[in-house]
PDB file of all heavy atoms in Angstrom:
ATOM      1  N   LEU A   1     260.685 162.523  30.836  1.00  0.00           N
ATOM      2  CA  LEU A   1     261.446 162.996  32.005  1.00  0.00           C
ATOM      3  C   LEU A   1     261.213 162.188  33.277  1.00  0.00           C
ATOM      4  O   LEU A   1     262.043 162.234  34.183  1.00  0.00           O
ATOM      5  CB  LEU A   1     261.130 164.470  32.259  1.00  0.00           C
ATOM      6  CG  LEU A   1     261.551 165.422  31.132  1.00  0.00           C
ATOM      7  CD1 LEU A   1     261.138 166.847  31.452  1.00  0.00           C
ATOM      8  CD2 LEU A   1     263.050 165.344  30.876  1.00  0.00           C
ATOM      9  N   LEU A   2     260.118 161.443  33.375  1.00  0.00           N
ATOM     10  CA  LEU A   2     259.920 160.614  34.577  1.00  0.00           C
ATOM     11  C   LEU A   2     260.519 159.220  34.408  1.00  0.00           C
ATOM     12  O   LEU A   2     260.495 158.412  35.333  1.00  0.00           O
ATOM     13  CB  LEU A   2     258.431 160.515  34.932  1.00  0.00           C
ATOM     14  CG  LEU A   2     257.720 161.839  35.236  1.00  0.00           C
ATOM     15  CD1 LEU A   2     256.338 161.594  35.818  1.00  0.00           C
ATOM     16  CD2 LEU A   2     258.541 162.739  36.154  1.00  0.00           C
ATOM     17  N   TYR A   3     261.090 158.962  33.211  1.00  0.00           N
ATOM     18  CA  TYR A   3     261.749 157.668  32.966  1.00  0.00           C
ATOM     19  C   TYR A   3     263.233 157.847  32.646  1.00  0.00           C
ATOM     20  O   TYR A   3     263.884 156.904  32.202  1.00  0.00           O
ATOM     21  CB  TYR A   3     261.045 156.919  31.830  1.00  0.00           C
ATOM     22  CG  TYR A   3     259.701 156.369  32.247  1.00  0.00           C
ATOM     23  CD1 TYR A   3     258.530 157.086  32.013  1.00  0.00           C
ATOM     24  CD2 TYR A   3     259.598 155.144  32.905  1.00  0.00           C
ATOM     25  CE1 TYR A   3     257.296 156.592  32.405  1.00  0.00           C
ATOM     26  CE2 TYR A   3     258.367 154.646  33.298  1.00  0.00           C
ATOM     27  CZ  TYR A   3     257.224 155.376  33.052  1.00  0.00           C
ATOM     28  OH  TYR A   3     256.003 154.888  33.452  1.00  0.00           O
ATOM     29  N   GLY A   4     263.757 159.058  32.846  1.00  0.00           N
ATOM     30  CA  GLY A   4     265.181 159.281  32.627  1.00  0.00           C
ATOM     31  C   GLY A   4     265.577 159.488  31.186  1.00  0.00           C
ATOM     32  O   GLY A   4     266.775 159.473  30.863  1.00  0.00           O
ATOM     33  N   GLY A   5     264.595 159.684  30.295  1.00  0.00           N
ATOM     34  CA  GLY A   5     264.894 159.898  28.888  1.00  0.00           C
ATOM     35  C   GLY A   5     265.280 161.339  28.592  1.00  0.00           C
ATOM     36  O   GLY A   5     265.397 162.175  29.482  1.00  0.00           O
ATOM     37  N   ARG A   6     265.466 161.627  27.300  1.00  0.00           N
ATOM     38  CA  ARG A   6     265.832 162.975  26.860  1.00  0.00           C
ATOM     39  C   ARG A   6     264.683 163.553  26.035  1.00  0.00           C
ATOM     40  O   ARG A   6     264.131 162.871  25.181  1.00  0.00           O
ATOM     41  CB  ARG A   6     267.118 162.930  26.023  1.00  0.00           C
ATOM     42  CG  ARG A   6     267.586 164.297  25.516  1.00  0.00           C
ATOM     43  CD  ARG A   6     269.023 164.224  25.013  1.00  0.00           C
ATOM     44  NE  ARG A   6     269.177 163.421  23.814  1.00  0.00           N
ATOM     45  CZ  ARG A   6     269.150 163.908  22.561  1.00  0.00           C
ATOM     46  NH1 ARG A   6     268.970 165.200  22.344  1.00  0.00           N
ATOM     47  NH2 ARG A   6     269.310 163.102  21.532  1.00  0.00           N
ATOM     48  N   LEU A   7     264.360 164.813  26.323  1.00  0.00           N
ATOM     49  CA  LEU A   7     263.259 165.486  25.635  1.00  0.00           C
ATOM     50  C   LEU A   7     263.830 166.555  24.705  1.00  0.00           C
ATOM     51  O   LEU A   7     264.520 167.469  25.154  1.00  0.00           O
ATOM     52  CB  LEU A   7     262.324 166.131  26.659  1.00  0.00           C
ATOM     53  CG  LEU A   7     261.099 166.872  26.106  1.00  0.00           C
ATOM     54  CD1 LEU A   7     260.141 165.905  25.420  1.00  0.00           C
ATOM     55  CD2 LEU A   7     260.383 167.633  27.208  1.00  0.00           C
ATOM     56  N   VAL A   8     263.547 166.422  23.406  1.00  0.00           N
ATOM     57  CA  VAL A   8     263.995 167.398  22.422  1.00  0.00           C
ATOM     58  C   VAL A   8     262.841 168.366  22.157  1.00  0.00           C
ATOM     59  O   VAL A   8     261.798 167.963  21.627  1.00  0.00           O
ATOM     60  CB  VAL A   8     264.427 166.710  21.105  1.00  0.00           C
ATOM     61  CG1 VAL A   8     264.882 167.757  20.084  1.00  0.00           C
ATOM     62  CG2 VAL A   8     265.527 165.692  21.364  1.00  0.00           C
ATOM     63  N   VAL A   9     263.007 169.626  22.562  1.00  0.00           N
ATOM     64  CA  VAL A   9     261.972 170.631  22.319  1.00  0.00           C
ATOM     65  C   VAL A   9     262.079 171.082  20.867  1.00  0.00           C
ATOM     66  O   VAL A   9     263.129 171.583  20.438  1.00  0.00           O
ATOM     67  CB  VAL A   9     262.130 171.830  23.275  1.00  0.00           C
ATOM     68  CG1 VAL A   9     261.032 172.854  23.022  1.00  0.00           C
ATOM     69  CG2 VAL A   9     262.099 171.361  24.727  1.00  0.00           C
ATOM     70  N   VAL A  10     261.006 170.890  20.107  1.00  0.00           N
ATOM     71  CA  VAL A  10     261.025 171.184  18.670  1.00  0.00           C
ATOM     72  C   VAL A  10     260.705 172.671  18.460  1.00  0.00           C
ATOM     73  O   VAL A  10     259.634 173.126  18.865  1.00  0.00           O
ATOM     74  CB  VAL A  10     259.992 170.313  17.927  1.00  0.00           C
ATOM     75  CG1 VAL A  10     260.033 170.603  16.428  1.00  0.00           C
ATOM     76  CG2 VAL A  10     260.262 168.832  18.199  1.00  0.00           C
ATOM     77  N   PRO A  11     261.614 173.437  17.846  1.00  0.00           N
ATOM     78  CA  PRO A  11     261.306 174.844  17.565  1.00  0.00           C
ATOM     79  C   PRO A  11     260.013 174.959  16.743  1.00  0.00           C
ATOM     80  O   PRO A  11     259.715 174.089  15.916  1.00  0.00           O
ATOM     81  CB  PRO A  11     262.513 175.328  16.756  1.00  0.00           C
ATOM     82  CG  PRO A  11     263.626 174.392  17.133  1.00  0.00           C
ATOM     83  CD  PRO A  11     262.964 173.063  17.372  1.00  0.00           C
ATOM     84  N   TYR A  12     259.262 176.030  16.999  1.00  0.00           N
ATOM     85  CA  TYR A  12     257.947 176.181  16.363  1.00  0.00           C
ATOM     86  C   TYR A  12     258.029 176.049  14.843  1.00  0.00           C
ATOM     87  O   TYR A  12     257.251 175.306  14.228  1.00  0.00           O
ATOM     88  CB  TYR A  12     257.320 177.523  16.740  1.00  0.00           C
ATOM     89  CG  TYR A  12     256.000 177.760  16.046  1.00  0.00           C
ATOM     90  CD1 TYR A  12     254.835 177.150  16.504  1.00  0.00           C
ATOM     91  CD2 TYR A  12     255.923 178.567  14.919  1.00  0.00           C
ATOM     92  CE1 TYR A  12     253.629 177.343  15.861  1.00  0.00           C
ATOM     93  CE2 TYR A  12     254.718 178.773  14.260  1.00  0.00           C
ATOM     94  CZ  TYR A  12     253.572 178.160  14.732  1.00  0.00           C
ATOM     95  OH  TYR A  12     252.380 178.343  14.085  1.00  0.00           O
ATOM     96  N   LEU A  13     258.969 176.746  14.212  1.00  0.00           N
ATOM     97  CA  LEU A  13     259.042 176.721  12.749  1.00  0.00           C
ATOM     98  C   LEU A  13     259.403 175.329  12.230  1.00  0.00           C
ATOM     99  O   LEU A  13     258.920 174.898  11.187  1.00  0.00           O
ATOM    100  CB  LEU A  13     260.042 177.766  12.244  1.00  0.00           C
ATOM    101  CG  LEU A  13     259.620 179.224  12.474  1.00  0.00           C
ATOM    102  CD1 LEU A  13     260.700 180.188  12.000  1.00  0.00           C
ATOM    103  CD2 LEU A  13     258.295 179.525  11.763  1.00  0.00           C
ATOM    104  N   THR A  14     260.239 174.615  12.984  1.00  0.00           N
ATOM    105  CA  THR A  14     260.576 173.236  12.597  1.00  0.00           C
ATOM    106  C   THR A  14     259.338 172.342  12.663  1.00  0.00           C
ATOM    107  O   THR A  14     259.145 171.467  11.812  1.00  0.00           O
ATOM    108  CB  THR A  14     261.681 172.679  13.513  1.00  0.00           C
ATOM    109  OG1 THR A  14     262.822 173.533  13.449  1.00  0.00           O
ATOM    110  CG2 THR A  14     262.081 171.257  13.113  1.00  0.00           C
ATOM    111  N   SER A  15     258.484 172.575  13.678  1.00  0.00           N
ATOM    112  CA  SER A  15     257.269 171.759  13.812  1.00  0.00           C
ATOM    113  C   SER A  15     256.318 171.980  12.643  1.00  0.00           C
ATOM    114  O   SER A  15     255.443 171.154  12.389  1.00  0.00           O
ATOM    115  CB  SER A  15     256.557 172.071  15.133  1.00  0.00           C
ATOM    116  OG  SER A  15     255.884 173.323  15.080  1.00  0.00           O
ATOM    117  N   ARG A  16     256.484 173.091  11.936  1.00  0.00           N
ATOM    118  CA  ARG A  16     255.618 173.405  10.793  1.00  0.00           C
ATOM    119  C   ARG A  16     256.253 173.038   9.464  1.00  0.00           C
ATOM    120  O   ARG A  16     255.676 173.283   8.411  1.00  0.00           O
ATOM    121  CB  ARG A  16     255.260 174.910  10.807  1.00  0.00           C
ATOM    122  CG  ARG A  16     254.333 175.300  11.965  1.00  0.00           C
ATOM    123  CD  ARG A  16     252.978 174.622  11.819  1.00  0.00           C
ATOM    124  NE  ARG A  16     252.093 174.860  12.948  1.00  0.00           N
ATOM    125  CZ  ARG A  16     251.969 174.066  13.994  1.00  0.00           C
ATOM    126  NH1 ARG A  16     252.721 172.982  14.079  1.00  0.00           N
ATOM    127  NH2 ARG A  16     251.110 174.324  14.948  1.00  0.00           N
ATOM    128  N   SER A  17     257.451 172.470   9.475  1.00  0.00           N
ATOM    129  CA  SER A  17     258.139 172.056   8.252  1.00  0.00           C
ATOM    130  C   SER A  17     258.437 170.565   8.325  1.00  0.00           C
ATOM    131  O   SER A  17     259.373 170.143   9.017  1.00  0.00           O
ATOM    132  CB  SER A  17     259.455 172.830   8.082  1.00  0.00           C
ATOM    133  OG  SER A  17     260.244 172.231   7.065  1.00  0.00           O
ATOM    134  N   PRO A  18     257.640 169.719   7.653  1.00  0.00           N
ATOM    135  CA  PRO A  18     257.858 168.271   7.741  1.00  0.00           C
ATOM    136  C   PRO A  18     259.278 167.855   7.350  1.00  0.00           C
ATOM    137  O   PRO A  18     259.843 166.934   7.960  1.00  0.00           O
ATOM    138  CB  PRO A  18     256.820 167.698   6.768  1.00  0.00           C
ATOM    139  CG  PRO A  18     255.731 168.733   6.731  1.00  0.00           C
ATOM    140  CD  PRO A  18     256.434 170.046   6.862  1.00  0.00           C
ATOM    141  N   GLN A  19     259.877 168.541   6.369  1.00  0.00           N
ATOM    142  CA  GLN A  19     261.237 168.180   5.954  1.00  0.00           C
ATOM    143  C   GLN A  19     262.242 168.475   7.067  1.00  0.00           C
ATOM    144  O   GLN A  19     263.096 167.642   7.383  1.00  0.00           O
ATOM    145  CB  GLN A  19     261.639 168.949   4.680  1.00  0.00           C
ATOM    146  CG  GLN A  19     260.898 168.513   3.423  1.00  0.00           C
ATOM    147  CD  GLN A  19     259.505 169.126   3.326  1.00  0.00           C
ATOM    148  OE1 GLN A  19     259.165 170.050   4.067  1.00  0.00           O
ATOM    149  NE2 GLN A  19     258.694 168.606   2.411  1.00  0.00           N
ATOM    150  N   GLU A  20     262.129 169.663   7.684  1.00  0.00           N
ATOM    151  CA  GLU A  20     263.058 170.010   8.770  1.00  0.00           C
ATOM    152  C   GLU A  20     262.834 169.109   9.987  1.00  0.00           C
ATOM    153  O   GLU A  20     263.792 168.736  10.671  1.00  0.00           O
ATOM    154  CB  GLU A  20     262.871 171.479   9.168  1.00  0.00           C
ATOM    155  CG  GLU A  20     263.407 172.466   8.163  1.00  0.00           C
ATOM    156  CD  GLU A  20     263.228 173.896   8.636  1.00  0.00           C
ATOM    157  OE1 GLU A  20     263.206 174.119   9.871  1.00  0.00           O
ATOM    158  OE2 GLU A  20     263.104 174.787   7.773  1.00  0.00           O
ATOM    159  N   PHE A  21     261.578 168.771  10.238  1.00  0.00           N
ATOM    160  CA  PHE A  21     261.287 167.912  11.393  1.00  0.00           C
ATOM    161  C   PHE A  21     261.847 166.510  11.170  1.00  0.00           C
ATOM    162  O   PHE A  21     262.416 165.910  12.089  1.00  0.00           O
ATOM    163  CB  PHE A  21     259.777 167.870  11.632  1.00  0.00           C
ATOM    164  CG  PHE A  21     259.391 167.101  12.864  1.00  0.00           C
ATOM    165  CD1 PHE A  21     260.011 167.334  14.079  1.00  0.00           C
ATOM    166  CD2 PHE A  21     258.404 166.126  12.811  1.00  0.00           C
ATOM    167  CE1 PHE A  21     259.665 166.619  15.223  1.00  0.00           C
ATOM    168  CE2 PHE A  21     258.049 165.407  13.943  1.00  0.00           C
ATOM    169  CZ  PHE A  21     258.680 165.649  15.141  1.00  0.00           C
ATOM    170  N   LEU A  22     261.733 165.997   9.949  1.00  0.00           N
ATOM    171  CA  LEU A  22     262.298 164.680   9.635  1.00  0.00           C
ATOM    172  C   LEU A  22     263.807 164.687   9.865  1.00  0.00           C
ATOM    173  O   LEU A  22     264.369 163.736  10.439  1.00  0.00           O
ATOM    174  CB  LEU A  22     261.970 164.314   8.190  1.00  0.00           C
ATOM    175  CG  LEU A  22     262.414 162.926   7.725  1.00  0.00           C
ATOM    176  CD1 LEU A  22     261.628 161.831   8.427  1.00  0.00           C
ATOM    177  CD2 LEU A  22     262.258 162.799   6.204  1.00  0.00           C
ATOM    178  N   ALA A  23     264.470 165.771   9.447  1.00  0.00           N
ATOM    179  CA  ALA A  23     265.922 165.891   9.648  1.00  0.00           C
ATOM    180  C   ALA A  23     266.256 165.922  11.141  1.00  0.00           C
ATOM    181  O   ALA A  23     267.256 165.340  11.581  1.00  0.00           O
ATOM    182  CB  ALA A  23     266.440 167.145   8.948  1.00  0.00           C
ATOM    183  N   LEU A  24     265.418 166.605  11.945  1.00  0.00           N
ATOM    184  CA  LEU A  24     265.645 166.652  13.387  1.00  0.00           C
ATOM    185  C   LEU A  24     265.499 165.259  14.008  1.00  0.00           C
ATOM    186  O   LEU A  24     266.296 164.871  14.869  1.00  0.00           O
ATOM    187  CB  LEU A  24     264.673 167.637  14.042  1.00  0.00           C
ATOM    188  CG  LEU A  24     264.752 167.803  15.560  1.00  0.00           C
ATOM    189  CD1 LEU A  24     264.513 169.261  15.959  1.00  0.00           C
ATOM    190  CD2 LEU A  24     263.732 166.923  16.277  1.00  0.00           C
ATOM    191  N   LEU A  25     264.500 164.499  13.564  1.00  0.00           N
ATOM    192  CA  LEU A  25     264.303 163.136  14.083  1.00  0.00           C
ATOM    193  C   LEU A  25     265.541 162.280  13.838  1.00  0.00           C
ATOM    194  O   LEU A  25     265.955 161.496  14.700  1.00  0.00           O
ATOM    195  CB  LEU A  25     263.087 162.483  13.430  1.00  0.00           C
ATOM    196  CG  LEU A  25     261.719 163.103  13.711  1.00  0.00           C
ATOM    197  CD1 LEU A  25     260.635 162.365  12.923  1.00  0.00           C
ATOM    198  CD2 LEU A  25     261.392 163.067  15.197  1.00  0.00           C
ATOM    199  N   GLU A  26     266.138 162.442  12.668  1.00  0.00           N
ATOM    200  CA  GLU A  26     267.334 161.668  12.330  1.00  0.00           C
ATOM    201  C   GLU A  26     268.533 162.148  13.156  1.00  0.00           C
ATOM    202  O   GLU A  26     269.242 161.340  13.760  1.00  0.00           O
ATOM    203  CB  GLU A  26     267.642 161.810  10.832  1.00  0.00           C
ATOM    204  CG  GLU A  26     268.886 161.050  10.386  1.00  0.00           C
ATOM    205  CD  GLU A  26     269.162 161.193   8.904  1.00  0.00           C
ATOM    206  OE1 GLU A  26     268.976 162.305   8.362  1.00  0.00           O
ATOM    207  OE2 GLU A  26     269.582 160.204   8.289  1.00  0.00           O
ATOM    208  N   LYS A  27     268.739 163.465  13.207  1.00  0.00           N
ATOM    209  CA  LYS A  27     269.905 164.029  13.901  1.00  0.00           C
ATOM    210  C   LYS A  27     269.894 163.725  15.391  1.00  0.00           C
ATOM    211  O   LYS A  27     270.924 163.367  15.979  1.00  0.00           O
ATOM    212  CB  LYS A  27     269.921 165.547  13.678  1.00  0.00           C
ATOM    213  CG  LYS A  27     271.069 166.253  14.389  1.00  0.00           C
ATOM    214  CD  LYS A  27     271.029 167.760  14.115  1.00  0.00           C
ATOM    215  CE  LYS A  27     272.042 168.467  14.998  1.00  0.00           C
ATOM    216  NZ  LYS A  27     271.524 169.673  15.626  1.00  0.00           N
ATOM    217  N   GLU A  28     268.734 163.856  16.031  1.00  0.00           N
ATOM    218  CA  GLU A  28     268.644 163.667  17.485  1.00  0.00           C
ATOM    219  C   GLU A  28     268.411 162.213  17.883  1.00  0.00           C
ATOM    220  O   GLU A  28     268.329 161.888  19.061  1.00  0.00           O
ATOM    221  CB  GLU A  28     267.520 164.538  18.067  1.00  0.00           C
ATOM    222  CG  GLU A  28     267.720 166.031  17.863  1.00  0.00           C
ATOM    223  CD  GLU A  28     268.837 166.615  18.721  1.00  0.00           C
ATOM    224  OE1 GLU A  28     269.409 165.876  19.553  1.00  0.00           O
ATOM    225  OE2 GLU A  28     269.136 167.812  18.555  1.00  0.00           O
ATOM    226  N   LYS A  29     268.265 161.324  16.882  1.00  0.00           N
ATOM    227  CA  LYS A  29     268.031 159.888  17.128  1.00  0.00           C
ATOM    228  C   LYS A  29     266.804 159.666  18.031  1.00  0.00           C
ATOM    229  O   LYS A  29     266.850 158.929  19.026  1.00  0.00           O
ATOM    230  CB  LYS A  29     269.268 159.226  17.727  1.00  0.00           C
ATOM    231  CG  LYS A  29     270.469 159.236  16.771  1.00  0.00           C
ATOM    232  CD  LYS A  29     271.662 158.502  17.343  1.00  0.00           C
ATOM    233  CE  LYS A  29     272.760 158.269  16.302  1.00  0.00           C
ATOM    234  NZ  LYS A  29     273.159 159.471  15.554  1.00  0.00           N
ATOM    235  N   VAL A  30     265.714 160.331  17.652  1.00  0.00           N
ATOM    236  CA  VAL A  30     264.462 160.248  18.421  1.00  0.00           C
ATOM    237  C   VAL A  30     263.922 158.823  18.364  1.00  0.00           C
ATOM    238  O   VAL A  30     263.896 158.195  17.297  1.00  0.00           O
ATOM    239  CB  VAL A  30     263.429 161.255  17.856  1.00  0.00           C
ATOM    240  CG1 VAL A  30     262.061 161.045  18.499  1.00  0.00           C
ATOM    241  CG2 VAL A  30     263.920 162.680  18.074  1.00  0.00           C
ATOM    242  N   THR A  31     263.476 158.300  19.526  1.00  0.00           N
ATOM    243  CA  THR A  31     262.954 156.933  19.581  1.00  0.00           C
ATOM    244  C   THR A  31     261.442 156.880  19.785  1.00  0.00           C
ATOM    245  O   THR A  31     260.807 155.889  19.428  1.00  0.00           O
ATOM    246  CB  THR A  31     263.616 156.128  20.721  1.00  0.00           C
ATOM    247  OG1 THR A  31     263.286 156.733  21.979  1.00  0.00           O
ATOM    248  CG2 THR A  31     265.131 156.078  20.555  1.00  0.00           C
ATOM    249  N   VAL A  32     260.857 157.922  20.405  1.00  0.00           N
ATOM    250  CA  VAL A  32     259.405 157.944  20.654  1.00  0.00           C
ATOM    251  C   VAL A  32     258.838 159.233  20.059  1.00  0.00           C
ATOM    252  O   VAL A  32     259.191 160.334  20.495  1.00  0.00           O
ATOM    253  CB  VAL A  32     259.075 157.882  22.166  1.00  0.00           C
ATOM    254  CG1 VAL A  32     257.562 157.851  22.361  1.00  0.00           C
ATOM    255  CG2 VAL A  32     259.722 156.661  22.807  1.00  0.00           C
ATOM    256  N   LEU A  33     257.966 159.064  19.066  1.00  0.00           N
ATOM    257  CA  LEU A  33     257.366 160.209  18.381  1.00  0.00           C
ATOM    258  C   LEU A  33     255.858 160.172  18.575  1.00  0.00           C
ATOM    259  O   LEU A  33     255.230 159.120  18.416  1.00  0.00           O
ATOM    260  CB  LEU A  33     257.697 160.157  16.888  1.00  0.00           C
ATOM    261  CG  LEU A  33     257.028 161.197  15.998  1.00  0.00           C
ATOM    262  CD1 LEU A  33     257.443 162.606  16.401  1.00  0.00           C
ATOM    263  CD2 LEU A  33     257.361 160.931  14.540  1.00  0.00           C
ATOM    264  N   ASN A  34     255.282 161.309  18.940  1.00  0.00           N
ATOM    265  CA  ASN A  34     253.835 161.422  19.118  1.00  0.00           C
ATOM    266  C   ASN A  34     253.294 162.399  18.088  1.00  0.00           C
ATOM    267  O   ASN A  34     253.824 163.494  17.939  1.00  0.00           O
ATOM    268  CB  ASN A  34     253.524 161.914  20.532  1.00  0.00           C
ATOM    269  CG  ASN A  34     254.095 160.969  21.574  1.00  0.00           C
ATOM    270  OD1 ASN A  34     253.513 159.953  21.893  1.00  0.00           O
ATOM    271  ND2 ASN A  34     255.281 161.297  22.085  1.00  0.00           N
ATOM    272  N   GLN A  35     252.231 161.991  17.388  1.00  0.00           N
ATOM    273  CA  GLN A  35     251.732 162.794  16.276  1.00  0.00           C
ATOM    274  C   GLN A  35     250.214 162.744  16.186  1.00  0.00           C
ATOM    275  O   GLN A  35     249.609 161.680  16.410  1.00  0.00           O
ATOM    276  CB  GLN A  35     252.293 162.251  14.943  1.00  0.00           C
ATOM    277  CG  GLN A  35     253.790 162.420  14.782  1.00  0.00           C
ATOM    278  CD  GLN A  35     254.170 163.757  14.204  1.00  0.00           C
ATOM    279  OE1 GLN A  35     254.219 163.938  13.005  1.00  0.00           O
ATOM    280  NE2 GLN A  35     254.443 164.715  15.076  1.00  0.00           N
TER     281      GLN A  35
END
């Protein structure tokens, strides 16, 4: 948010499902992932 980017808030249940989270990364075209 301090560089003008977009922040996708990951729903709690999605954060606990690697398959759903992978699908979210693809759908939202995420460029920076922290893990």
Side-chain angles (χ1 to χ4, degrees):
L1 297 177
L2 300 190
Y3 287 95
R6 180 166 67 93
L7 181 65
V8 180
V9 181
V10 181
Y12 177 79
L13 293 177
T14 303
S15 75
R16 291 295 175 266
S17 168
Q19 290 80 12
E20 287 182 28
F21 185 49
L22 184 68
L24 179 143
L25 295 177
E26 179 179 39
K27 178 180 171 225
E28 299 289 355
K29 296 184 169 51
V30 172
T31 63
V32 182
L33 174 62
N34 301 278
Q35 293 273 273

